[in-house]
Amino acid sequence: GDIRRQAEWAAARLIQIAEGHREKWPLMLKDFAKLPPIAQNAVLKWLGELNVNSLSENARQETWKQVRELVQTHQFFHDAWWAMSKTTVESLAEIEQKLTPPDPLVRSKWLFENGTTHAFGSMETPYEERERMHAEAQAKAVREVYEKLGLDGLFKLGSNSQFHFCTKIGDCLAKSGLLPDWQNLLPEKLISKTDHERGIALGYAAGRRAVEGDAWVENLPLEEWSAEAVGAFALILNFERPTWQMLRRRKADAEPFYWRRVHPWTNHLSEDELEETIEVLLQNGRPKAAVDALSEAINVHKMKPSWKIVADAVDLASSSPSSSAEGDFNTMSVWELCEVMKYLQADPTADQERLVVLEWRLLPLARHDHFEPKILHSELSRSANFFAEVLSVVYRAKDQPKDE
């Protein structure tokens, strides 16, 4: 009909413009799947006849990226109504191979970035199989980059990538066996000023331990490393008492560096280990992390830690100023604080005086559905001193600033 003829005329006009301006051809790839057949065929013809060496490095990389993403998306969603024909996708796949950059760093960078959900297999491919394919591609990329560009190449590969991708690079390096001499990375890069170097070093250490076991850890001269480096290294070890004891035995001054950064996983802890965890987190200025750990332990793992220790965590979390390490309360941390308060309120042996103080301090959270004072009102009617304190807060003196 008229719409089809107009679309074909517009496509033909685009082709005429692009033929006179070669730099316009890559722009047509952005909406390639939406182009009418006449335009798609013209772009495929141009790409097929293209002399790759005539493109600038940036133009080649951008064209390859767009073609690669087209192929991956339409192979993955091959049954979708909007998917291009198998023949068109196969033609694009051949062109992608021709455009693939020779530099292993350039052609591998995307494997360590977000957006790879549709890069492997198809919708029929099980998730585990797609993850395996991705991991194999990452391991191959690390090998190729290291063999050609060494450690500096891997650091460039990890630059601008999220931390967990950097640890993956290090893990692949360790498991490849290409770097048996750990001194090339450890301990120096564990305390590097750049996140991606630290991530690669941590991933490498974790990979070596996974392959060689705890004997590898025991043979490392941790006593000779700086306390900061040992504290960072310990982050790859299981979160359990043997790790804490090892630190205390081999490098006691590394403990603060470890406890200020470690994520307190509680799923394998005994109640005794949980309470030790909370005490040490509080000693190292991490009350919000302590509340997070308690929330998981109480609500998920049904543990019953000491009322006093839980109250200490809530007390410090609600009264301590925000630190750069822990940041301000967010929706999740407020919910966790409220859930932990419910644990304190439900205990019939609770210290009532202290519970009143905590409820009063957390009263602003009553506007959330997750928190409701239980004994605050009865304490107001029972204690004249507390009643006076509340009045002094609500009704300020004339010379006292309202926002104080």
Side-chain angles (χ1 to χ4, degrees):
D2 290 342
I3 294 177
R4 178 180 176 83
R5 286 193 295 272
Q6 289 175 4
E8 290 180 348
W9 177 87
R13 180 60 183 147
L14 282 173
I15 293 168
Q16 290 177 355
I17 295 172
E19 284 177 343
H21 303 276
R22 292 175 61 84
E23 70 277 7
K24 300 292 186 182
W25 282 101
L27 297 177
M28 297 183 69
L29 288 169
K30 292 184 177 180
D31 295 312
F32 180 85
K34 299 178 182 179
L35 295 175
I38 185 174
Q40 286 188 353
N41 291 335
V43 175
L44 288 173
K45 181 175 183 294
W46 170 74
L47 290 171
E49 297 173 352
L50 178 67
N51 178 6
V52 175
N53 296 325
S54 68
L55 294 175
S56 68
E57 184 176 344
N58 287 340
R60 175 175 180 169
Q61 291 178 19
E62 180 60 25
T63 304
W64 168 71
K65 175 178 179 289
Q66 292 185 31
V67 173
R68 171 176 57 76
E69 291 177 351
L70 277 170
V71 171
Q72 291 171 346
T73 299
H74 289 268
Q75 283 181 337
F76 190 87
F77 296 105
H78 63 93
D79 281 341
W81 65 267
W82 45 263
M84 294 185 294
S85 69
K86 182 178 179 181
T87 302
T88 301
V89 175
E90 288 176 347
S91 298
L92 285 169
E94 292 178 4
I95 293 166
E96 180 206 347
Q97 292 301 312
K98 183 176 75 169
L99 290 167
T100 300
D103 185 344
L105 182 61
V106 174
R107 66 172 178 261
S108 303
K109 191 82 173 170
W110 69 275
L111 288 165
F112 300 94
E113 297 174 348
N114 291 319
T116 59
T117 308
H118 309 141
F120 299 93
S122 66
M123 290 190 69
E124 293 80 20
T125 308
Y127 174 79
E128 295 76 12
E129 177 64 11
R130 286 189 275 126
E131 287 292 290
R132 185 194 63 77
M133 295 165 69
H134 189 187
E136 285 186 356
Q138 289 176 320
K140 180 182 177 183
V142 167
R143 176 177 290 275
E144 290 177 348
V145 171
Y146 181 79
E147 288 178 340
K148 186 170 182 179
L149 302 170
L151 274 177
D152 286 342
L154 293 182
F155 292 146
K156 290 178 181 177
L157 182 64
S159 63
N160 301 319
S161 292
Q162 293 179 359
F163 194 80
H164 68 280
F165 286 121
C166 297
T167 61
K168 181 63 178 180
I169 293 171
D171 180 70
C172 290
L173 176 63
K175 293 176 178 177
S176 71
L178 292 171
L179 187 66
D181 189 358
W182 53 263
Q183 288 93 334
N184 288 317
L185 269 176
L186 312 177
E188 177 188 357
K189 296 303 181 182
L190 287 170
I191 52 176
S192 170
K193 293 182 179 180
T194 58
D195 286 347
H196 65 276
E197 290 186 355
R198 289 198 306 275
I200 290 172
L202 274 177
Y204 175 82
R208 288 292 297 267
R209 176 176 177 258
V211 172
E212 302 175 49
D214 288 333
W216 180 74
V217 177
E218 287 298 322
N219 289 327
L220 291 173
L222 300 183
E223 295 80 0
E224 300 173 10
W225 294 7
S226 71
E228 184 180 0
V230 175
F233 174 81
L235 297 174
I236 71 164
L237 305 177
N238 297 339
F239 187 72
E240 58 187 9
R241 182 167 284 153
T243 296
W244 314 335
Q245 292 172 337
M246 183 278 292
L247 271 180
R248 203 165 298 135
R249 171 173 53 86
R250 300 189 63 183
K251 197 75 174 179
D253 54 350
E255 289 186 85
F257 292 101
Y258 169 77
W259 284 103
R260 288 170 192 162
R261 291 181 58 192
V262 70
H263 181 88
W265 304 103
T266 64
N267 51 322
H268 296 303
L269 297 183
S270 66
E271 287 188 2
D272 186 42
E273 288 176 317
L274 173 65
E275 292 184 2
E276 181 179 352
T277 295
I278 301 308
E279 288 178 350
V280 182
L281 287 172
L282 296 181
Q283 290 168 9
N284 284 275
R286 298 186 65 196
K288 293 185 179 68
V291 169
D292 175 47
L294 285 168
S295 176
E296 179 186 352
I298 293 169
N299 296 304
V300 179
H301 307 303
K302 307 306 178 184
M303 300 171 74
K304 297 184 181 300
S306 155
W307 193 94
K308 179 182 181 303
I309 287 177
V310 178
D312 288 344
V314 173
D315 194 347
L316 285 172
S318 59
S319 62
S320 302
S322 298
S323 67
S324 58
E326 294 205 298
D328 295 325
F329 277 106
N330 55 33
T331 302
M332 178 57 70
S333 55
V334 167
W335 180 85
E336 290 169 343
L337 188 61
C338 293
E339 291 299 302
V340 173
M341 269 298 294
K342 290 179 184 177
Y343 176 81
L344 295 177
Q345 292 171 321
D347 191 334
T349 66
D351 180 338
Q352 297 296 301
E353 290 186 5
R354 192 171 186 195
L355 187 56
V356 166
V357 171
L358 293 177
E359 287 193 348
W360 170 241
R361 185 178 297 153
L362 296 180
L363 187 60
L365 298 183
R367 65 179 180 272
H368 297 271
D369 294 337
H370 307 293
F371 175 67
E372 179 182 350
K374 297 294 185 184
I375 64 172
L376 193 58
H377 295 91
S378 62
E379 181 67 11
L380 281 170
S381 62
R382 187 191 69 81
S383 172
N385 289 336
F386 184 60
F387 183 77
E389 180 185 345
V390 172
L391 286 180
S392 68
V393 172
V394 175
Y395 299 101
R396 298 174 183 271
K398 291 182 178 180
D399 58 348
Q400 188 175 8
K402 292 183 178 181
D403 58 350
E404 186 178 90

